[in-house]
Amino acid sequence: MSPTKQKLLSTASKTFSKYGFYKTSMDEIAKSARKAKGSLYYHFNSKELLFREVVLSELTFLKEELTLIFENHDADSREIIRAYMIKRMEVMNISINYQETLRPEFYEFYEFLNDVILEMDQWEKQQITEILNRGVVKEELDLPGNIEVYAEMLLIFLKGLETPLFLKGQYERLISNFDNLIGILTKGISKV
Amino acid sequence: MSPTKQKLLSTASKTFSKYGFYKTSMDEIAKSARKAKGSLYYHFNSKELLFREVVLSELTFLKEELTLIFENHDADSREIIRAYMIKRMEVMNISINYQETLRPEFYEFYEFLNDVILEMDQWEKQQITEILNRGVVKEELDLPGNIEVYAEMLLIFLKGLETPLFLKGQYERLISNFDNLIGILTKGISKV
Amino acid sequence: MSPTKQKLLSTASKTFSKYGFYKTSMDEIAKSARKAKGSLYYHFNSKELLFREVVLSELTFLKEELTLIFENHDADSREIIRAYMIKRMEVMNISINYQETLRPEFYEFYEFLNDVILEMDQWEKQQITEILNRGVVKEELDLPGNIEVYAEMLLIFLKGLETPLFLKGQYERLISNFDNLIGILTKGISKV
Amino acid sequence: MSPTKQKLLSTASKTFSKYGFYKTSMDEIAKSARKAKGSLYYHFNSKELLFREVVLSELTFLKEELTLIFENHDADSREIIRAYMIKRMEVMNISINYQETLRPEFYEFYEFLNDVILEMDQWEKQQITEILNRGVVKEELDLPGNIEVYAEMLLIFLKGLETPLFLKGQYERLISNFDNLIGILTKGISKV
DNA sequence: GATGAATGAGTTTTCATTCAT
DNA sequence: TATGAATGAAAACTCATTCAT
């Protein structure tokens, strides 16, 4: 990737995450990057496609980080879940643009993003399902019924941690009590 | 409230919840309501203040509904928590505009909304803290340490249910397995 | 005149003189007067006609004040001119709306004002011509050629004192040196 | 300066001088120039800044013209004053936008113009003070007291010639008698 | 007389996109 | 590749005026 494209992409990422998709203008991105607006369109065709690339790069990073956790096959599944949750929160705290894609208006108007997000959602669900399965097999967890549903529930719960109220300003205060919450959850799914 | 104002407010609520704050134009609201754009500004001074009133009316409704749950003092606290969570999800499913206020750009730009939202957050935290307290006193719950922290955690979890991914389209599918999730949580905080 | 009309007129005068015709809205006048906007239209049909009445009341006051000066037939004509100039400046300092009517855009668009202003201009020219005539007859002034032209020139000069730069803020400082200027002028037209 | 910018600026100047700042819309300027409204904003950010540039260009021209007069050091100071006054009137007759800046509302609302105008005022005062000083030294003029005050008074007088009543339509008629007026003034300040 | 809700045409401004260089 | 001038559609907002009560 050319230095100009690189610069534009990283500037776009920062600006989008600060003001959101709609409140960010192409002009502002170009100015912040000290590049011409035309260059933005040369490298990324449209605002939407630029945003898509920004989100993609965030998700790529998120996947990489989470994969490191999942690969640790030997650890107690409860411990893996715990590590996964903490890592996810950490990365999410800086994956603000991905979060924005969860807004309703993105669903109404931009099919060009659904594929990226759905793929990520499915990937995550798959990974967690696998861990839960391992935990059940190793008799560390007690999950009657469909395990996929538990995975979905965990994801829903984790998405709660993405809310700005939490991420903005309160992150530091709450992270310290995070173990408590995880304790409740793991106790809730543990074999007695 | 005059019929015109009423009509404008309800139309605004619907339109905002469909397209989000930024993708909704004042023109569109006025046209949908078959009223003049000037009337919008006569009754609500600005787009932001109009949105504020929309959110306020949603929160007012949410509070009323939740208050009914909280007032049932005799029930088992786990049962109240369960009823609370379900009711909250139901109402949230139609309080789409309030959800939008949780977006980062609203935090950056609009102080005019923070007061409303913070007040709601505090109110909810207070209510849940009280229920948890009651549960501990009645020896139904096991919550070592600061109870307020558990209340906050529960709220964070509930906010997870507000994510559009869940609310849009998947609500019906997931609500049926919701009891499972609540089961995990209540098991997690129950006295053995 | 009813108290409501009176109140609206005086408020309109103040507001127009502060912000000018275009920057003043009917809404602002009504609000400042703590009256309904409809009342403005009940008493004065349109913004233009309201402004006309404001200007008229200023000119009426100006005429009354200047007439007092002109009627002193016995004094030295140079003294009358001096007194006239000072009084005119004093009154003009508070006749800001009349001044605005001298702007080009008022000439282009509002015939409804020309009559009022032309009448005032002619009245003033007439008065000054008469004084100059008296001065020439009493051999106090030396004005070769057409006396009306001198009257017009004096008026042009006096209009110079109407410029905001002078009226705004510098009025107090310059008024103290005003006698100097009048000295030059009267020396310029005096018989040696 | 690009041809488009040039065209927009000159069109803006003409339109503003015809209808005044408030009665001129950006739309009208763009249409008259047969350019897109967006181009107006590309080159001049806002209506106020566009107007500022229009005024600036007028004042630049005024300064250039007057400087030519001032530089004639050998002539009789009374003759220079006379030439200065006539030239100023001529240029002012086409510097209609600068005149508008003297309106009260411009002082209340737009600090963005004060610097330009104050600078011009001070420049003019300085030039005239210098001429008067030369005249006193050469014993052509009789100016007891502070000479700066005379300079200010002359400027006030000259501003009187800026009034639209004079400039609009009556310019031609009055200019022919202008010498008379200047005669009064120069006689008033001449050494006998 | 007095009110204030309702209107709609008009205003300034923003901004994604195109294109000649 | 990279630029920045130019565009025009659309946005938020203003405001004189009307009118039923």
Side-chain angles (χ1 to χ4, degrees):
Chain A
M1 208 188 295
S2 81
T4 297
K5 186 169 183 182
Q6 194 87 51
K7 176 76 177 165
L8 287 170
L9 190 62
S10 73
T11 306
S13 180
K14 277 174 214 147
T15 316
F16 278 136
S17 66
K18 200 167 168 191
Y19 302 113
F21 179 78
Y22 293 109
K23 290 285 281 185
T24 297
S25 70
M26 295 296 265
D27 209 79
E28 198 176 350
I29 294 170
K31 257 181 199 144
S32 292
R34 290 167 187 276
K35 297 286 172 187
K37 212 173 359 169
S39 306
L40 266 179
Y41 282 87
Y42 177 78
H43 287 291
F44 313 90
N45 293 311
S46 75
K47 191 184 180 188
E48 298 185 354
L49 289 176
L50 169 59
F51 189 69
R52 189 183 204 269
E53 292 219 24
V54 164
V55 171
L56 257 179
S57 70
E58 281 184 5
L59 290 187
T60 303
F61 179 69
L62 179 58
K63 265 191 194 169
E64 281 165 11
E65 291 293 303
L66 292 183
T67 298
L68 295 178
I69 307 282
F70 285 130
E71 279 171 348
N72 182 359
H73 284 244
D74 304 323
D76 187 302
S77 59
R78 282 162 298 198
E79 189 45 42
I80 294 179
I81 289 169
R82 200 185 155 278
Y84 169 83
M85 291 172 94
I86 287 171
K87 175 56 78 185
R88 196 182 189 281
M89 266 191 64
E90 281 171 12
V91 179
M92 266 298 159
N93 198 31
I94 56 171
S95 305
I96 303 186
N97 296 307
Y98 161 59
Q99 294 173 50
E100 182 161 18
T101 62
L102 306 177
R103 295 263 63 236
E105 55 267 39
F106 280 87
Y107 280 82
E108 299 282 348
F109 292 102
Y110 302 120
E111 291 163 22
F112 75 98
L113 261 172
N114 275 342
D115 57 342
V116 179
I117 291 157
L118 285 180
E119 204 253 302
M120 180 67 196
D121 278 344
Q122 274 158 15
W123 182 86
E124 258 196 301
K125 191 174 142 191
Q126 214 167 25
Q127 304 298 314
I128 295 181
T129 304
E130 200 189 307
I131 298 183
L132 293 183
N133 267 326
R134 277 193 247 151
V136 169
V137 168
K138 287 156 78 183
E139 298 206 338
E140 291 159 1
L141 302 178
D142 177 34
L143 300 169
N146 190 342
I147 285 183
E148 263 193 33
V149 172
Y150 286 99
E152 269 178 19
M153 290 293 152
L154 260 177
L155 272 170
I156 289 165
F157 168 76
L158 285 168
K159 282 176 194 304
L161 309 179
E162 293 163 17
T163 57
L165 178 67
F166 182 55
L167 293 166
K168 292 264 162 190
Q170 304 218 33
Y171 180 83
E172 279 73 20
R173 192 168 67 82
L174 291 179
I175 193 72
S176 59
N177 297 110
F178 195 46
D179 270 345
N180 247 321
L181 184 56
I182 294 177
I184 293 173
L185 273 173
T186 46
K187 178 181 161 198
I189 59 177
S190 284
K191 198 133 199 157
V192 196
Chain B
M1 207 190 293
S2 80
T4 297
K5 187 170 183 180
Q6 196 86 52
K7 176 78 177 165
L8 287 170
L9 190 62
S10 72
T11 305
S13 181
K14 276 174 218 149
T15 317
F16 277 136
S17 65
K18 196 166 169 191
Y19 302 112
F21 180 77
Y22 293 109
K23 287 290 281 185
T24 297
S25 73
M26 293 298 263
D27 212 78
E28 197 177 352
I29 295 171
K31 261 183 194 139
S32 294
R34 289 167 187 274
K35 297 286 172 185
K37 213 186 336 184
S39 303
L40 262 180
Y41 282 89
Y42 179 78
H43 287 292
F44 314 89
N45 293 310
S46 72
K47 192 184 179 187
E48 296 187 355
L49 288 177
L50 169 59
F51 189 69
R52 189 185 205 267
E53 292 219 24
V54 164
V55 171
L56 256 180
S57 69
E58 282 183 4
L59 289 187
T60 303
F61 179 69
L62 179 58
K63 261 191 195 173
E64 282 165 9
E65 292 293 303
L66 293 183
T67 298
L68 295 177
I69 307 282
F70 283 130
E71 277 171 352
N72 182 2
H73 284 243
D74 305 321
D76 185 302
S77 59
R78 283 161 296 197
E79 188 46 41
I80 293 180
I81 289 168
R82 199 184 155 281
Y84 167 84
M85 293 172 90
I86 287 170
K87 173 59 79 183
R88 193 181 191 280
M89 269 191 61
E90 283 171 11
V91 178
M92 268 299 160
N93 196 32
I94 56 170
S95 304
I96 303 184
N97 296 304
Y98 161 60
Q99 294 172 47
E100 182 160 17
T101 64
L102 305 177
R103 296 258 65 238
E105 56 266 40
F106 280 87
Y107 280 80
E108 299 282 347
F109 291 105
Y110 302 120
E111 292 164 23
F112 77 95
L113 260 174
N114 275 341
D115 56 341
V116 178
I117 291 158
L118 285 180
E119 207 252 303
M120 182 67 195
D121 278 344
Q122 274 159 13
W123 182 85
E124 262 197 299
K125 187 174 143 189
Q126 215 169 24
Q127 305 299 313
I128 296 181
T129 305
E130 204 190 304
I131 298 183
L132 294 182
N133 267 325
R134 277 193 245 152
V136 170
V137 168
K138 288 157 78 181
E139 298 206 334
E140 292 160 0
L141 302 178
D142 177 34
L143 300 168
N146 191 343
I147 285 182
E148 263 192 32
V149 171
Y150 287 99
E152 269 178 20
M153 289 296 151
L154 260 177
L155 271 170
I156 288 166
F157 167 77
L158 286 169
K159 282 178 194 304
L161 309 179
E162 293 165 16
T163 55
L165 179 67
F166 182 55
L167 293 165
K168 288 272 163 186
Q170 306 217 32
Y171 180 81
E172 279 71 19
R173 190 169 65 84
L174 292 178
I175 192 70
S176 58
N177 297 109
F178 193 45
D179 268 345
N180 250 324
L181 183 56
I182 295 177
I184 294 174
L185 271 173
T186 48
K187 178 181 161 199
I189 59 178
S190 284
K191 200 136 197 154
V192 195
Chain C
M1 212 190 286
S2 80
T4 296
K5 187 171 184 181
Q6 194 86 53
K7 177 77 177 164
L8 287 171
L9 190 62
S10 71
T11 306
S13 180
K14 277 175 213 147
T15 317
F16 277 136
S17 65
K18 200 168 170 189
Y19 302 112
F21 180 76
Y22 292 109
K23 290 284 282 185
T24 298
S25 70
M26 295 296 265
D27 210 77
E28 198 177 352
I29 295 169
K31 256 180 198 146
S32 293
R34 290 167 187 275
K35 297 286 172 185
K37 214 180 346 180
S39 305
L40 265 178
Y41 282 86
Y42 177 77
H43 287 292
F44 315 88
N45 293 310
S46 75
K47 192 186 180 186
E48 298 186 353
L49 289 176
L50 169 59
F51 188 67
R52 190 184 203 271
E53 292 219 23
V54 164
V55 171
L56 257 180
S57 71
E58 281 183 4
L59 290 186
T60 303
F61 179 68
L62 179 58
K63 265 191 193 171
E64 280 166 9
E65 292 292 304
L66 293 183
T67 298
L68 295 178
I69 307 283
F70 284 131
E71 279 171 350
N72 182 1
H73 283 242
D74 304 322
D76 186 303
S77 59
R78 284 162 296 199
E79 190 45 44
I80 293 179
I81 289 169
R82 197 184 158 281
Y84 168 83
M85 292 172 91
I86 287 171
K87 174 58 78 184
R88 193 182 190 282
M89 269 193 60
E90 283 171 12
V91 179
M92 266 300 159
N93 198 30
I94 56 172
S95 303
I96 302 182
N97 295 306
Y98 162 59
Q99 294 173 50
E100 183 162 18
T101 62
L102 306 177
R103 296 260 64 238
E105 56 267 39
F106 280 87
Y107 279 79
E108 299 280 349
F109 291 104
Y110 302 121
E111 292 163 20
F112 76 95
L113 260 175
N114 276 341
D115 57 340
V116 178
I117 290 156
L118 286 180
E119 204 254 304
M120 181 66 194
D121 279 344
Q122 274 160 13
W123 182 86
E124 260 194 303
K125 190 174 140 192
Q126 214 168 28
Q127 304 298 314
I128 295 181
T129 304
E130 202 189 308
I131 298 182
L132 294 182
N133 267 326
R134 277 192 246 153
V136 169
V137 168
K138 287 158 79 182
E139 299 205 336
E140 292 159 1
L141 303 178
D142 177 32
L143 300 169
N146 190 342
I147 286 184
E148 265 193 30
V149 172
Y150 287 97
E152 270 178 20
M153 289 296 153
L154 261 177
L155 272 170
I156 288 166
F157 168 76
L158 286 168
K159 282 178 194 303
L161 310 178
E162 293 164 16
T163 56
L165 178 68
F166 182 57
L167 294 166
K168 291 268 161 189
Q170 306 216 34
Y171 180 81
E172 278 73 18
R173 191 168 68 82
L174 292 178
I175 192 73
S176 58
N177 298 109
F178 194 44
D179 271 345
N180 249 322
L181 184 57
I182 294 178
I184 294 172
L185 271 174
T186 47
K187 179 182 160 198
I189 59 177
S190 283
K191 198 135 200 154
V192 195
Chain D
M1 206 190 293
S2 81
T4 296
K5 186 171 184 182
Q6 195 86 52
K7 176 78 177 162
L8 288 171
L9 190 61
S10 71
T11 306
S13 181
K14 277 174 216 149
T15 317
F16 277 138
S17 65
K18 197 165 170 193
Y19 302 113
F21 179 78
Y22 292 110
K23 287 290 280 185
T24 298
S25 73
M26 296 296 264
D27 209 79
E28 197 177 351
I29 295 170
K31 261 184 195 142
S32 293
R34 289 167 187 275
K35 298 286 172 185
K37 216 178 345 178
S39 304
L40 263 180
Y41 282 88
Y42 178 76
H43 287 291
F44 315 89
N45 293 310
S46 73
K47 191 185 180 186
E48 296 187 356
L49 289 177
L50 169 58
F51 189 68
R52 190 185 202 269
E53 292 220 24
V54 164
V55 170
L56 257 179
S57 69
E58 282 183 3
L59 290 186
T60 303
F61 179 68
L62 179 58
K63 263 191 193 171
E64 281 165 10
E65 293 293 304
L66 294 182
T67 298
L68 296 178
I69 307 283
F70 283 130
E71 277 170 352
N72 181 2
H73 282 244
D74 304 323
D76 186 303
S77 59
R78 282 163 296 197
E79 190 44 44
I80 293 179
I81 289 169
R82 198 185 156 280
Y84 168 84
M85 290 170 95
I86 286 169
K87 175 58 79 183
R88 193 182 191 280
M89 267 191 62
E90 283 170 14
V91 179
M92 266 300 158
N93 196 32
I94 56 171
S95 303
I96 303 184
N97 296 305
Y98 163 58
Q99 295 172 47
E100 181 161 19
T101 64
L102 306 177
R103 296 259 62 241
E105 56 267 38
F106 280 86
Y107 279 79
E108 299 282 349
F109 290 105
Y110 303 119
E111 291 163 23
F112 76 95
L113 260 173
N114 276 342
D115 57 341
V116 178
I117 291 158
L118 285 180
E119 205 252 304
M120 181 68 195
D121 279 343
Q122 273 159 14
W123 181 86
E124 262 197 299
K125 189 175 141 189
Q126 218 168 24
Q127 305 299 314
I128 295 182
T129 303
E130 204 190 303
I131 298 182
L132 294 183
N133 267 325
R134 278 194 245 151
V136 169
V137 168
K138 287 157 81 181
E139 298 208 335
E140 292 160 359
L141 302 178
D142 176 35
L143 301 169
N146 191 343
I147 285 182
E148 264 192 31
V149 171
Y150 288 98
E152 270 179 19
M153 288 297 152
L154 262 176
L155 272 170
I156 288 165
F157 168 76
L158 286 167
K159 282 176 194 305
L161 310 178
E162 294 165 16
T163 54
L165 179 65
F166 182 54
L167 293 165
K168 289 268 162 185
Q170 307 217 31
Y171 180 80
E172 279 72 20
R173 192 168 67 82
L174 292 179
I175 192 72
S176 57
N177 299 109
F178 194 43
D179 269 345
N180 249 324
L181 183 55
I182 294 178
I184 294 174
L185 273 173
T186 47
K187 178 181 163 198
I189 59 176
S190 283
K191 200 138 198 154
V192 195

